[in-house]
Amino acid sequence: MTTVLITGANRGLGLALAQQYAADGAEVIVCCREPARADALKELAASFSDRVRIMPLDVADESSIASLKRMLADKPIDILINNAGINGLSVNEIEAEGWMTTMRVNALAPMLIAQALRDNLRRGSEKKLVAIASILGSTSSAGGGKYAYRASKAALNNGMRALSRDWASDGILVGILNPGWARTKMGGDDGFISPEESARGLISRIAELTPATSGVFQDYRPGVTIRW
Ligand SMILES: NC(=O)c1ccc[n+]([C@@H]2O[C@H](COP(=O)([O-])OP(=O)(O)OC[C@H]3O[C@@H](n4cnc5c(N)ncnc54)[C@H](OP(=O)(O)O)[C@@H]3O)[C@@H](O)[C@H]2O)c1
């Protein structure tokens, strides 16, 4: 059975990914900051009590990442999805503390989590490390605004690309996936697609990951590579 771990799984794309993986028969470890208030996840865990487990994780807190690692111990993880993310600052804002928080959650945390769970991935049979990226992290197609978010997603891409090279010797494949503009709290009501449609595409792209597409910036739709 495939074991998937998803960060920020209590709502939005993380929740849609968790629901679809659970429905598809996977074992799903769903991480969120406040399990006690994660009603949708509690419902999912009740429906699939043998395969869905909720674990606390604040990705911005190193001790929380260490505690997740302790709980997992040597458990093999097939697919690790770094999904948790924030907008951080408002569109035209440039402010130090908010910028650093955005970088911490969107760019640094996925690297710290990958490092903490590297051995769990090595023990998995699929060995797939996934980052939920963003088209806004593409430098060559950048418009204006959302500076901190863009910078954080560009940094995420760069870090994940480097891991795809350095960890290839462990057989680890790295997916860098743009989820499209989805109607979540972050994406807002004008998004082009539902979280479910985005999750369906992401899950297909993750299933198709090969050494040739590891470290490539790809869209949730098939066959679309995004420029850095
Ligand atoms: N929606 C889009 O159109 C779109 C487009 C491109 C990329 N993305 C990316 O897709 C991912 C998911 O976004 P979404 O649209 O589903 O957004 P969302 O609905 O706002 O959900 C964000 C998730 O991240 C979690 N999170 C934030 N900070 C966290 C922290 N410190 N520790 C643990 N969890 C934390 C949130 O948990 P809380 O409930 O505890 O805050 C929530 O579960 C993000 O990485 C985002 O950048 C989204």
Side-chain angles (χ1 to χ4, degrees):
M1 190 191 304
T2 301
T3 301
V4 187
L5 186 147
I6 305 168
T7 69
N10 54 304
R11 59 185 164 92
L13 297 179
L15 177 62
L17 286 164
Q19 289 168 331
Q20 285 184 40
Y21 272 119
D24 290 348
E27 175 186 12
V28 195
I29 299 167
V30 284
C31 300
C32 64
R33 284 195 271 204
E34 293 184 273
R37 294 176 55 188
D39 293 336
L41 284 185
K42 285 196 267 185
E43 207 175 292
L44 189 67
S47 304
F48 299 98
S49 56
D50 51 335
R51 292 190 283 106
V52 174
R53 194 148 48 119
I54 307 175
M55 289 193 178
L57 176 65
D58 179 342
V59 302
D61 177 354
E62 277 179 273
S63 67
S64 181
I65 296 172
S67 139
L68 174 71
K69 171 61 193 167
R70 276 194 302 278
M71 281 186 282
L72 291 170
D74 291 336
K75 184 173 178 57
I77 305 278
D78 293 300
I79 303 173
L80 164 58
I81 305 182
N82 279 297
N83 163 77
I86 55 171
N87 267 322
L89 296 172
S90 58
V91 176
N92 292 318
E93 207 178 355
I94 302 173
E95 180 273 310
E97 202 176 319
W99 188 292
M100 296 312 285
T101 302
T102 311
M103 292 299 284
R104 177 157 201 121
V105 171
N106 293 354
L108 172 61
M111 297 295 286
L112 290 174
I113 293 166
Q115 176 175 254
L117 305 189
R118 182 180 182 181
D119 195 49
N120 302 80
L121 276 174
R122 277 198 197 108
R123 290 168 186 270
S125 48
E126 296 197 33
K127 301 182 175 54
K128 291 174 178 169
L129 169 64
V130 176
I132 303 301
S134 169
I135 187 74
L136 297 186
S138 167
T139 302
S140 52
S141 63
K146 301 195 86 173
Y147 314 117
Y149 183 79
R150 286 178 189 282
S152 69
K153 289 294 188 178
L156 171 68
N157 283 357
N158 198 290
M160 288 291 149
R161 167 77 179 191
L163 292 188
S164 76
R165 274 34 194 171
D166 288 344
W167 293 4
S169 54
D170 285 342
I172 293 175
L173 302 172
V174 181
I176 305 174
L177 300 177
N178 172 49
W181 185 10
R183 292 184 291 274
T184 62
K185 190 168 178 193
M186 180 186 285
D189 296 336
D190 294 335
F192 295 146
I193 50 172
S194 66
E196 291 72 28
E197 184 179 349
S198 173
R200 255 194 309 280
L202 292 168
I203 288 171
S204 298
R205 301 296 77 73
I206 293 167
E208 292 164 3
L209 261 181
T210 64
T213 52
S214 180
V216 175
F217 189 10
Q218 288 185 285
D219 198 57
Y220 76 102
R221 293 166 296 178
V224 182
T225 299
I226 301 172
R227 290 180 300 154
W228 296 116

